[in-house]
Amino acid sequence: MSNILILCPKCQTNPATLQCVDCQEQMCYSCDQKVHLQLKQHQTNIIPYSQMKQIKSTSSIISGIKDHSNLSQELLQELNELDVIIQTKKSFLIKQEEKWNTQITSLENQYEQKLQQFEKEIESNENQFKNYYSSGNTTSMIADIKKQMEAQKQLAWKELNDKKAKLQEKEILLKDMISVESYCSKEIAQKEKLINDYKDFLQKQQAEKDLIKEENQKIMNQLESIKNLCKKNLPEFGINVDFLDKLMKVNKIKNNEQVEEQDEEYEEEEEVEKEEEVEEEEQEEEQEKEQEQNENENEKQQKKDEENQNVEQK
């Protein structure tokens, strides 16, 4: 191993001939290829020969002068190392030349493609200018184009205004529908509240009816017990007990009549509620039909307006 040239710090066998500017390291050609296999953007420079030599101490220089045999061996070794350096530089330069050649060829191809595109654009522009000047009445054509553009502009403004008016009408109709819906929802809520109150009232009446039945049953039981006692005891005093049966029958008839009257009242109230619900449903259906008719009329009107616009455009 030579002690004249600086060795590569990576492999410690070959002399350091290249220096990476980005890594700030010196290395041989083989180590440079390994390290910069992925880091291809790093910049590498060839180290001058004057910087490849090691700086020797004065003692080594004096001993080298005294020992001619060692000096000749060092010179031979230095020559061999110079050959190695030259070979590495040649290979490096060959690689660089190949890289530059590929870059130059790619740039030439790109430049040729751009030139061809530019020439095509020039030819197309020249043809357009020729056609334009060969047509003759350029001023009249420009005036006609301006008129057409102005007519299209006016037509577009007209369509825009018509659409705005239709949108405003739809917004008004939508607001009316929203107000009607809110009113209907309020009415429905009120009627639902009334229905719930009426249901509570019916439940209370049913509870009262059940209580009355229980009380009547208790009274009937008491009367039955009294009747039995009277049947046992009153004949001894010569009193007829048939009037008690008649009295109980009369009470039963009255109780049944009261119950029937209450049932009839409940049925009448239920019928009235059903009729009111049917009327409400009919009103809601009529409102929905009116809304559908209005929407259909608006759609028909829009179609007519569009047909008229198409006819005017034609």
Side-chain angles (χ1 to χ4, degrees):
M1 188 179 290
S2 176
N3 56 2
I4 296 170
L5 300 177
I6 298 170
L7 296 176
C8 176
K10 301 286 184 183
C11 61
Q12 293 293 327
T13 55
N14 297 322
T17 57
L18 299 174
Q19 183 174 7
C20 180
V21 177
D22 296 315
C23 297
Q24 294 182 358
E25 289 183 355
Q26 295 179 354
M27 59 190 78
C28 64
Y29 180 75
S30 60
C31 292
D32 177 66
Q33 292 294 320
K34 291 177 183 178
V35 171
H36 295 104
L37 184 64
Q38 294 180 351
L39 304 172
K40 293 181 180 180
Q41 295 179 353
H42 285 196
Q43 184 179 359
T44 55
N45 295 323
I46 298 170
I47 301 169
Y49 179 71
S50 60
Q51 295 179 6
M52 291 182 190
K53 292 181 179 180
Q54 292 182 358
I55 298 170
K56 296 183 179 181
S57 62
T58 55
S59 61
S60 64
I61 292 167
I62 293 164
S63 63
I65 291 167
K66 289 179 180 179
D67 193 1
H68 295 286
S69 62
N70 290 330
L71 183 62
S72 61
Q73 288 178 0
E74 287 178 357
L75 288 171
L76 289 171
Q77 193 170 0
E78 187 175 357
L79 288 171
N80 292 325
E81 289 176 354
L82 285 171
D83 290 332
V84 172
I85 291 165
I86 290 164
Q87 293 296 326
T88 55
K89 286 184 178 181
K90 282 182 179 180
S91 61
F92 178 76
L93 290 171
I94 289 165
K95 294 283 186 182
Q96 289 293 112
E97 188 177 0
E98 290 176 355
K99 188 188 289 185
W100 290 337
N101 286 326
T102 53
Q103 289 178 358
I104 288 164
T105 52
S106 65
L107 290 170
E108 285 177 352
N109 292 325
Q110 291 177 3
Y111 184 68
E112 286 178 357
Q113 289 177 359
K114 287 182 179 179
L115 281 174
Q116 289 176 0
Q117 290 178 358
F118 187 66
E119 287 175 355
K120 288 180 181 178
E121 289 178 357
I122 290 168
E123 288 178 357
S124 64
N125 291 323
E126 286 178 354
N127 292 323
Q128 287 179 0
F129 279 116
K130 286 178 182 178
N131 293 324
Y132 180 72
Y133 284 111
S134 63
S135 61
N137 297 321
T138 56
T139 56
S140 62
M141 288 174 66
I142 291 166
D144 293 333
I145 290 166
K146 284 183 178 179
K147 287 179 181 179
Q148 289 177 2
M149 290 176 71
E150 190 67 27
Q152 289 177 359
K153 184 179 177 181
Q154 290 178 359
L155 184 63
W157 276 109
K158 186 179 178 182
E159 289 178 355
L160 183 63
N161 292 322
D162 293 336
K163 287 181 180 179
K164 283 183 179 179
K166 289 177 183 178
L167 285 171
Q168 288 176 357
E169 290 177 357
K170 287 182 179 179
E171 285 178 355
I172 292 165
L173 182 63
L174 184 63
K175 287 179 181 178
D176 294 334
M177 289 173 70
I178 290 166
S179 62
V180 171
E181 186 179 0
S182 63
Y183 175 75
C184 291
S185 61
K186 288 179 182 178
E187 289 291 327
I188 289 165
Q190 289 178 358
K191 288 179 180 179
E192 285 179 351
K193 186 179 179 182
L194 290 172
I195 289 165
N196 292 323
D197 293 336
Y198 182 70
K199 285 180 179 178
D200 294 333
F201 177 71
L202 287 175
Q203 288 177 358
K204 288 178 181 178
Q205 282 189 344
Q206 187 66 33
E208 290 177 356
K209 184 178 176 181
D210 294 334
L211 287 172
I212 290 166
K213 284 182 178 180
E214 288 178 358
E215 292 293 329
N216 289 329
Q217 189 65 36
K218 288 178 182 179
I219 291 165
M220 293 296 292
N221 293 328
Q222 289 176 0
L223 289 171
E224 189 69 27
S225 62
I226 291 166
K227 179 183 175 182
N228 292 324
L229 289 171
C230 291
K231 282 182 179 180
K232 289 179 181 179
N233 297 322
L234 289 177
E236 294 178 356
F237 299 98
I239 298 170
N240 190 6
V241 293
D242 293 333
F243 76 96
L244 292 173
D245 294 331
K246 292 179 181 179
L247 182 62
M248 290 183 69
K249 288 179 181 179
V250 170
N251 289 325
K252 282 183 181 179
I253 291 165
K254 286 181 180 180
N255 290 326
N256 291 326
E257 288 177 355
Q258 289 178 357
V259 171
E260 288 176 356
E261 288 177 357
Q262 288 178 355
D263 292 333
E264 288 177 357
E265 289 177 357
Y266 294 153
E267 289 176 357
E268 288 177 357
E269 289 175 354
E270 288 178 353
E271 287 178 356
V272 170
E273 285 182 354
K274 287 180 180 178
E275 288 177 357
E276 289 178 354
E277 289 178 355
V278 170
E279 288 177 356
E280 289 175 358
E281 290 177 355
E282 289 177 354
Q283 288 177 359
E284 290 177 356
E285 288 178 356
E286 288 178 357
Q287 288 177 358
E288 289 177 355
K289 287 179 181 179
E290 288 178 357
Q291 289 178 359
E292 288 179 356
Q293 288 177 358
N294 292 324
E295 290 177 355
N296 292 324
E297 289 177 357
N298 290 323
E299 288 178 356
K300 289 179 181 178
Q301 188 66 31
Q302 288 178 1
K303 288 180 180 178
K304 287 181 181 179
D305 294 334
E306 289 177 356
E307 289 176 356
N308 292 325
Q309 288 177 2
N310 293 323
V311 170
E312 289 176 358
Q313 289 177 1
K314 290 179 180 178

